[in-house]
Amino acid sequence: MNCEWCDESTVEEITCTVYWELPDGTRAIEITETPGMKCSSCGMEYQSEDTIEALEDQLLLIDTSKLGKEVSYESLMAQPKLLKRNYFKF
């Protein structure tokens, strides 16, 4: 697997903490133990497009008012959904 930033093949899978703005724009939350990638060549840490899409969909489909300032990725993804799917994805 190559780094999305520098295209070197020195990427490893990690878990990290990310900060994400809620879809309504009212605040940001800290999401711990989030799957990610880290490149040892350029030092960049980032999430795959699949992880980003999963986070954004989940935050759109749950009651975010019940979230605290910090939540683990696993706990966030286990939150009950208000809708079955993201109907805004075409």
Side-chain angles (χ1 to χ4, degrees):
M1 177 182 316
N2 288 355
C3 175
E4 292 182 19
W5 296 90
C6 71
D7 206 32
E8 293 292 323
S9 61
T10 55
V11 176
E12 65 178 297
E13 292 184 13
I14 62 167
T15 58
C16 54
T17 298
V18 297
Y19 301 88
W20 223 267
E21 184 177 354
L22 297 180
D24 63 6
T26 57
R27 62 189 175 108
I29 59 170
E30 181 178 340
I31 307 170
T32 61
E33 301 172 34
T34 306
M37 308 292 190
K38 182 172 183 169
C39 178
S40 59
S41 290
C42 68
M44 194 63 148
E45 287 185 13
Y46 58 93
Q47 280 61 52
S48 69
E49 288 299 319
D50 289 340
T51 300
I52 292 169
E53 188 174 320
L55 277 169
E56 290 180 349
D57 281 352
Q58 184 69 353
L59 288 171
L60 189 65
L61 299 174
I62 65 171
D63 182 359
T64 57
S65 68
K66 295 182 180 179
L67 295 176
K69 293 179 182 180
E70 177 185 327
V71 64
S72 73
Y73 179 81
E74 187 176 312
S75 177
L76 174 66
M77 300 312 278
Q79 294 287 316
K81 294 179 173 99
L82 299 173
L83 298 171
K84 291 181 182 179
R85 64 192 270 296
N86 180 354
Y87 294 100
F88 298 105
K89 234 191 247 180
F90 301 106

